[in-house]
Amino acid sequence: RLFSARILVPFKNRLVAFNTWEGVASPGDNYPNRCRYSQIGSPLAADAWRQDIPGKGNAIDCPTTEAIVTVEFIKDRLIVYFERSTWELVYTGNQAYPFAWQQINTELGVESTFSIVPFDKVAIGVGNVGVMACNGSNVERIDNKIPDEVFAIHNTNGGVFRVYGIRDYFVEMIYWTFPNV
């Protein structure tokens, strides 16, 4: 049973759950690097998530020990940010195994679920070593003028859960709130 997930998104006509809590009894065990997906169509069907029936739901674990923090779409690609790396959940088109993991960057990830701000060609978020921009094929730091600001984010008392980004279209700026005490 799937009890909870950090993130739920629709992707390729399936509902996809990331960083899941699963098991026989609630709350279940946490699988921080897991992506679980439903069948094509309605995720509310009684057997939509069953992995013992071919063509229905299943799960795929990313080959890393890091936890999934957040996801964002860049065009038709689903970028998955881990604590210290960035991956893509690639759609294979295979009915039995529709997704595969592809690593984009081994050392740059995102720390805060709501820090990601999407643009048409990149997704920008706050990581543990800088402000990152991912274009789907590369991740790079873009905070060269303020390189030490991310180190001022207070990580205790759930600080990384309180970083939130938003885009202001009128003045073409991104704003982030973060605890810095």
Side-chain angles (χ1 to χ4, degrees):
R1 286 190 165 178
L2 175 64
F3 292 107
S4 181
R6 186 171 196 162
I7 302 155
L8 288 171
V9 295
F11 185 50
K12 300 295 182 180
N13 295 320
R14 298 173 186 266
L15 190 61
V16 183
F18 294 93
N19 194 338
T20 62
W21 282 263
E22 309 172 16
V24 178
S26 182
D29 297 320
N30 181 229
Y31 296 92
N33 62 337
R34 178 167 288 175
C35 162
R36 179 163 294 281
Y37 51 89
S38 71
Q39 69 179 10
I40 291 178
S42 175
L44 302 176
D47 59 354
W49 296 86
R50 291 192 50 186
Q51 65 185 35
D52 60 335
I53 302 172
K56 297 292 181 176
N58 209 336
I60 181 170
D61 292 337
C62 189
T64 181
T65 58
E66 300 172 43
I68 295 170
V69 175
T70 191
V71 302
E72 187 56 65
F73 289 96
I74 299 176
K75 305 277 185 201
D76 194 29
R77 301 172 69 184
L78 185 55
I79 307 302
V80 182
Y81 295 94
F82 287 76
E83 298 166 302
R84 307 283 184 268
S85 62
T86 305
W87 296 70
E88 178 183 359
L89 187 66
V90 179
Y91 180 67
T92 65
N94 181 332
Q95 181 71 10
Y97 299 102
F99 302 110
W101 290 106
Q102 180 176 348
Q103 191 169 38
I104 297 174
N105 191 291
T106 60
E107 58 185 26
L108 299 177
V110 170
E111 269 193 327
S112 302
T113 301
F114 301 109
S115 72
I116 294 294
V117 179
F119 286 81
D120 59 339
K121 296 180 183 174
V122 296
I124 299 174
V126 177
N128 66 320
V129 295
V131 177
M132 309 301 166
C134 177
N135 63 9
S137 60
N138 189 31
V139 181
E140 61 183 345
R141 284 188 69 177
I142 60 166
D143 59 349
N144 296 333
K145 292 185 179 181
I146 53 165
D148 298 329
E149 283 301 310
V150 295
F151 301 112
I153 296 175
H154 189 56
N155 284 342
T156 58
N157 297 325
V160 295
F161 297 109
R162 295 186 285 155
V163 177
Y164 197 95
I166 191 165
R167 181 176 176 186
D168 186 338
Y169 289 89
F170 295 109
V171 295
E172 298 179 355
M173 299 270 298
I174 301 174
Y175 301 103
W176 280 284
T177 62
F178 59 91
N180 66 346
V181 176

